[in-house]
Amino acid sequence: MAERLRADLVLEYPFTRTTGPVIGAFLTGLRERIVLGIRRPDGTVLCPPTEYDPETSAPLTELVEVGPGGELVSWTWVDPPRSQSPWGQPHGLGMIRLDGADTPMVHGVLVDGPDELSVGMRVTARWRPEREGHIADLEGFVPEGAGQ
Amino acid sequence: MSTDPSVTPAALSGEVHLPEKLADVEPVRSVRTPIRLEYDFIPGAASSGYLNAFADRKILGQRSPVDGAVFVPPRGVDPRHGAATPDYVELPDTGHVGGFCVTRLPIPGRDDLEIPYVSAWIHLDGADIGFLGLVAGIDTSEVRMGMRVRAVWKPDDQLGRTAENILYWEPSGGPDIPVTAAGTNAWHAKQITESEEQAAGEGR
């Protein structure tokens, strides 16, 4: 029987997508070091913002500033990060509910080890020095008072 | 609040309300979202037979036990009937262009493809479906459905167990296959011919 065949394959697409005004506003905010949520008719705020109300499907248009501080709602520890991770070293991955928002967003929590993470702890945004309007403009979240 | 699907939503018409701080900055309108998947490909039995045969400059298909249709590349099954196709058929490296596309824009990551280039469904003589290949050795404006082609292989000392052994397909001369019998029309044309022959036979 012939030797078993095997090949390393790569599927890759360099997509660029148009954002629309809502997601565009969110990314614009990140570039300007501001996190935006969007207000629903009942007054609650979704962050990240969505273009439509998740319950009624009504268009949402009122973007509001939230954060930059918030509460770690839940987390897991990532070790090692995968090759295409924006974080080159082990890190937390958390659900962060920013001040002024009613829903949590997923992002990295940048601490040295899982011992430093706990549900309910206060965190705040850490920005990258070079920003272009991308979710990675927000490098991640760090414990409040840890220096940003 | 109800949503009328015939009305452009505010979220798409740009009527969003921004905090003062963002009133005068240039809005982001697009975002890079590249995707990349790295994976190991391990071919199954039918594909392995096909790829191994390439090392000997052979192209293998498989024949349907239901109606004799020949598939290339072989997948081990006739997908129309769910029937296993254990029997390989050796096919010639000649056929015709069933359909084609002239590409005039470069593809990221494929610097080896000089534009314009022609990708085509190659229908091998004796096969009932086409498979993809490049057509070269002819001006792109002269490529046509039904044009007869033959494989241009890599030199023998560079052959591997891969379909990349075929560099491209070049015109082989000879009269074109009529469009009504070319490409995906070929199978249907054959069915009609067979049913006509059968009808003629019954009429005698």
Side-chain angles (χ1 to χ4, degrees):
Chain A
M1 183 177 164
E3 177 194 345
R4 192 174 73 165
L5 291 165
R6 188 185 153 282
D8 295 321
L9 295 187
V10 176
L11 180 66
E12 186 172 27
Y13 294 107
F15 291 129
T16 297
R17 299 166 56 184
T18 51
T19 58
V22 173
I23 306 304
F26 177 66
L27 298 175
T28 304
L30 296 179
R31 194 188 63 207
E32 307 299 326
R33 298 168 54 121
I34 293 169
V35 185
L36 294 179
I38 201 159
R39 197 181 302 283
R40 298 177 60 196
D42 67 2
T44 59
V45 173
L46 304 173
C47 179
T50 62
E51 292 156 320
Y52 299 95
D53 188 282
E55 285 177 21
T56 67
S57 303
L60 300 177
T61 58
E62 190 187 349
L63 290 146
V64 295
E65 183 175 351
V66 298
E71 178 187 338
L72 186 61
V73 175
S74 70
W75 59 273
T76 189
W77 188 249
V78 180
D79 183 11
R82 304 183 70 148
S83 60
Q84 293 164 67
S85 165
W87 302 286
Q89 53 195 7
H91 62 90
L93 193 64
M95 298 283 281
I96 297 118
R97 186 168 55 232
L98 291 170
D99 299 338
D102 294 279
T103 57
M105 68 184 285
V106 174
H107 218 303
V109 189
L110 310 176
V111 294
D112 292 334
D115 295 348
E116 297 176 39
L117 296 178
S118 58
V119 169
M121 73 182 283
R122 295 283 307 168
V123 293
T124 192
R126 173 185 280 172
W127 301 97
R128 289 188 200 276
E130 304 286 328
R131 295 179 306 282
E132 54 171 303
H134 193 276
I135 187 64
D137 290 355
L138 184 54
E139 186 177 0
F141 289 86
V142 294
E144 226 166 40
Q148 295 150 33
Chain B
M1 185 189 263
S2 66
T3 303
D4 179 349
S6 66
V7 175
T8 302
L12 295 182
S13 64
E15 297 165 15
V16 296
H17 307 284
L18 294 170
E20 282 291 313
K21 287 181 190 174
L22 294 177
D24 297 322
V25 303
E26 177 68 22
V28 171
R29 293 193 172 85
S30 67
V31 61
R32 293 175 301 106
T33 55
I35 62 163
R36 181 181 168 90
L37 175 66
E38 299 174 18
Y39 62 103
D40 293 341
F41 171 70
I42 297 174
S47 294
S48 293
Y50 173 72
L51 293 168
N52 285 326
F54 265 111
D56 301 320
R57 290 177 62 131
K58 286 180 183 168
I59 306 173
L60 295 186
Q62 281 180 335
R63 192 184 303 281
S64 168
V66 179
D67 58 14
V70 172
F71 299 104
V72 61
R75 297 295 185 215
V77 68
D78 175 344
R80 302 165 303 163
H81 302 291
T85 54
D87 297 332
Y88 283 102
V89 183
E90 187 176 337
L91 293 162
D93 64 353
T94 57
H96 69 270
V97 172
F100 67 96
C101 175
V102 182
T103 301
R104 303 177 190 278
L105 295 172
I107 296 181
R110 286 304 302 269
D111 298 337
D112 55 317
L113 289 176
E114 268 185 48
I115 54 169
Y117 62 87
V118 177
S119 43
W121 288 104
I122 306 296
H123 290 250
L124 294 178
D125 297 331
D128 290 299
I129 60 169
F131 64 160
L132 281 171
L134 293 169
V135 174
I138 181 175
D139 193 276
T140 55
S141 65
E142 294 186 21
V143 178
R144 55 207 181 269
M145 284 177 67
M147 184 180 80
R148 296 202 51 83
V149 292
R150 67 172 160 242
V152 175
W153 295 80
K154 284 184 179 173
D156 279 352
D157 61 358
Q158 292 176 26
L159 294 180
R161 297 185 295 167
T162 166
E164 291 174 0
N165 285 354
I166 295 177
L167 294 169
Y168 56 87
W169 299 80
E170 67 176 6
S172 60
D176 285 7
I177 306 292
V179 170
T180 49
T184 50
N185 289 330
W187 174 253
H188 302 295
K190 193 159 79 177
Q191 300 305 297
I192 291 164
T193 308
E194 282 173 6
S195 64
E196 281 171 354
E197 282 170 0
Q198 196 179 356
E202 283 165 0
R204 273 198 291 272

